[in-house]
Amino acid sequence: MIVNNVFLEAVAVKPEQYPEPSIPEIAFAGRSNVGKSTLLNAMINRKSLARTSQTPGKTRTINFYNVENILRFVDLPGYGYAKISREESAKWGKMIESYLLKRPVLKAIVMLIDIRHDVTENDKLMYDFLTYYNYQIIITATKADKVSKNEMSKNKNNISKQLKYTGEVIPFSGVSKIGREELWEKLLPLYSDITEDTEYMELGNEKPVQ
């Protein structure tokens, strides 16, 4: 996917602040510090549009990124961050749930799991929630550049078994761009407004956009 035009369209904590539901949306969910912002920047070929941080819990809002005016990437707050109060955690949970249950243009959720570690209890809770409501789920295993090829294969299988996920787990690295093309190939068919125009269907080998 060649991305030339992308911008932060809205920052929201409640439905009234969401942009108009005029184009398809793909939400990105994962525990705090799993690499959502890094993945988003890699997908849209930017360095820092989505803010990255070494500090877990940085994203405390729902951020809507408009991509080519044909879809939005929606960055949800990370879950499972221990160093916040129960009240704050419950508020984040309610914010995420409200978006997931009430957004008619939501087409799929990309769920991020750190490939170096076992699936957490919070990951299982999120996956079970998404499964219960019959969402289209795409699991992406982040930080793939930090493991060997053998570890990558083994850990992908572990993620699938632990979540009872029958789809393909896509290894992803924001550093090497492993998995970027594969993830776009999964997402493209979900966009009802995208045509066969090669401007949008061409994958990979694009020049970086500053």
Side-chain angles (χ1 to χ4, degrees), residues 101-143:
L101 295 181
K102 298 178 181 179
R103 194 62 172 167
V105 291
L106 177 59
K107 297 295 184 182
I109 293 93
V110 177
M111 186 172 170
L112 281 63
I113 306 287
D114 190 326
I115 199 168
R116 301 171 299 174
H117 307 301
D118 285 336
V119 171
T120 68
E121 192 60 33
N122 284 309
D123 290 326
K124 292 176 183 177
L125 289 171
M126 173 60 81
Y127 182 76
D128 289 345
F129 174 88
L130 298 175
T131 302
Y132 178 81
Y133 285 102
N134 201 32
Y135 288 104
Q136 172 78 37
I137 306 168
I138 300 169
I139 293 184
T140 302
T142 60
K143 309 190 181 184

Side-chain angles (χ1 to χ4, degrees), residues 69-187:
N69 287 312
I70 57 173
L71 69 141
R72 295 188 187 98
F73 282 169
V74 182
D75 186 8
L76 300 176
Y79 54 77
Y81 181 43
K83 295 183 180 180
I84 59 172
S85 68
R86 287 187 177 182
E87 286 186 5
E88 187 75 6
S89 179
K91 184 171 72 175
W92 289 10
K94 188 174 292 186
M95 187 194 312
I96 295 170
E97 183 175 320
S98 178
Y99 170 78
L100 292 175
L101 295 181
K102 298 178 181 179
R103 194 62 172 167
V105 291
L106 177 59
K107 297 295 184 182
I109 293 93
V110 177
M111 186 172 170
L112 281 63
I113 306 287
D114 190 326
I115 199 168
R116 301 171 299 174
H117 307 301
D118 285 336
V119 171
T120 68
E121 192 60 33
N122 284 309
D123 290 326
K124 292 176 183 177
L125 289 171
M126 173 60 81
Y127 182 76
D128 289 345
F129 174 88
L130 298 175
T131 302
Y132 178 81
Y133 285 102
N134 201 32
Y135 288 104
Q136 172 78 37
I137 306 168
I138 300 169
I139 293 184
T140 302
T142 60
K143 309 190 181 184
D145 57 290
K146 298 183 182 295
V147 297
S148 68
K149 289 186 177 180
N150 287 337
E151 289 176 313
M152 186 184 299
S153 178
K154 181 184 72 174
N155 295 356
K156 278 174 54 182
N157 290 333
N158 286 340
I159 290 171
S160 295
K161 289 177 182 178
Q162 290 167 12
L163 290 178
K164 298 179 181 178
Y165 178 66
T166 59
E168 176 192 1
V169 174
I170 301 174
F172 196 99
S173 167
V175 176
S176 64
K177 303 301 188 293
I178 293 171
R180 181 185 184 275
E181 181 175 330
E182 289 80 0
L183 185 52
W184 268 119
E185 288 176 344
K186 290 282 187 182
L187 297 180

